[in-house]
Amino acid sequence: MDTARRIIVALDFDNVHDAEAIVDRLGDAGQSYKVGLELLTVAGPALAARLVGEGKDVFLDLKLFEIPTSVAGAVAAGRLGATMVTVHAMGGSTIMEAAVRAASDFPQLRVIALTVVTSLTDTDLAAIGLSATIDEQVLRLARLAKHAGCHGVVASPQDAALLRAELGPDMLIVTPGVMLRPELAAVTTADHTRPAHPAAAIRAGATHIVIGRPLTRAPDPAAVLAHLEDELGRLQTHS
């Protein structure tokens, strides 16, 4: 797998201008981008279509959680040329199966099931009536996703080793919540409760890392991306 495409830059912006500015600053170095609900709300599909037209991988982070017919209709956004789209595993097998069927019309599109949102803790699960720990719930939902035919899962980098052992070698494991060394990170956020360094996530079995504000708000985003590519490239060479 191309190292550059394993690093997904999250365009977590509330306006098109800032998102396009980061894409332009990264240039050819940026090969994969996450477009989520915040940016889609203000930009519509135009930016995603532009990125695809420039040969970039686009991860549509829609977190679909609806009745199966609506989920299937939304997955038809694959016609934009996106390479990944997310669906909530908490929606159950029927919803995930509907997404997988809809995605079959778009050969490049992979359905990635979100297991447990990476900002949640065991206490949060208990508050909504779930007695499972985060680890137990992640595994349960990952098994459902695999059985439903999903191509991969989204989970904390701290879950990557557990998931790789459970899911085998072929499924994608996409990990937001990576953290950079202090000298590289422009922003330290509390968005994710169980972060890990990028190299640790990849060594544990992640296929992709997602990084947003620590890179996009850095004084020199291209330098941060180059550092990550070099770090992961060395891992890939020695694996």
Side-chain angles (χ1 to χ4, degrees):
M1 188 183 299
D2 181 357
T3 300
R5 293 185 185 272
R6 301 179 75 170
I7 303 168
I8 302 173
V9 178
L11 297 176
D12 292 331
F13 295 100
D14 60 6
N15 67 88
V16 179
H17 177 268
D18 288 346
E20 289 183 331
I22 285 294
V23 172
D24 292 340
R25 288 185 71 179
L26 295 180
D28 291 340
Q31 290 296 311
S32 296
Y33 290 96
K34 186 195 89 165
V35 177
L37 293 174
E38 181 181 24
L39 188 55
L40 278 172
T41 300
V42 296
L47 179 58
R50 171 202 156 177
L51 293 171
V52 170
E54 294 175 358
K56 312 298 187 183
D57 287 348
V58 173
F59 173 27
L60 284 178
D61 192 18
L62 303 183
K63 298 182 176 70
L64 298 170
F65 196 157
E66 252 289 1
I67 62 172
T69 301
S70 295
V71 167
V75 169
R79 65 173 59 93
L80 293 173
T83 51
M84 295 183 192
V85 63
T86 47
V87 59
H88 258 290
M90 282 283 287
S93 297
T94 304
I95 286 175
M96 289 188 282
E97 289 166 359
V100 171
R101 284 194 301 272
S104 66
D105 290 335
F106 310 100
Q108 85 290 346
L109 184 61
R110 300 291 177 263
V111 175
I112 310 298
L114 173 62
T115 54
V116 175
V117 176
T118 55
S119 61
L120 296 183
T121 65
D122 290 345
T123 301
D124 295 319
L125 292 189
I128 58 173
L130 296 176
S131 60
T133 65
I134 292 284
D135 286 347
E136 290 167 344
Q137 186 70 358
V138 165
L139 269 183
R140 177 183 294 120
L141 294 175
R143 292 186 190 110
L144 274 181
K146 183 176 182 178
H147 184 72
C150 292
H151 305 93
V153 296
V154 176
S156 158
Q158 293 189 23
D159 297 318
L162 193 67
L163 288 169
R164 182 56 67 205
E166 177 68 28
L167 300 176
D170 297 328
M171 287 189 73
L172 302 177
I173 299 176
V174 180
T175 55
V178 296
M179 58 185 180
L180 302 180
R181 296 200 307 268
E183 66 269 25
L184 290 173
V187 176
T188 301
T189 72
D191 292 345
H192 308 279
T193 59
R194 295 182 299 152
H197 290 286
I202 296 296
R203 279 196 298 265
T207 55
H208 297 77
I209 62 169
V210 181
I211 184 164
R213 285 181 282 275
L215 183 150
T216 59
R217 273 63 166 184
D220 188 349
V224 176
L225 183 58
H227 171 84
L228 288 173
E229 288 187 10
D230 179 66
E231 185 176 32
L232 300 191
R234 283 186 276 111
L235 276 181
Q236 193 161 295
T237 299
H238 296 301
S239 62

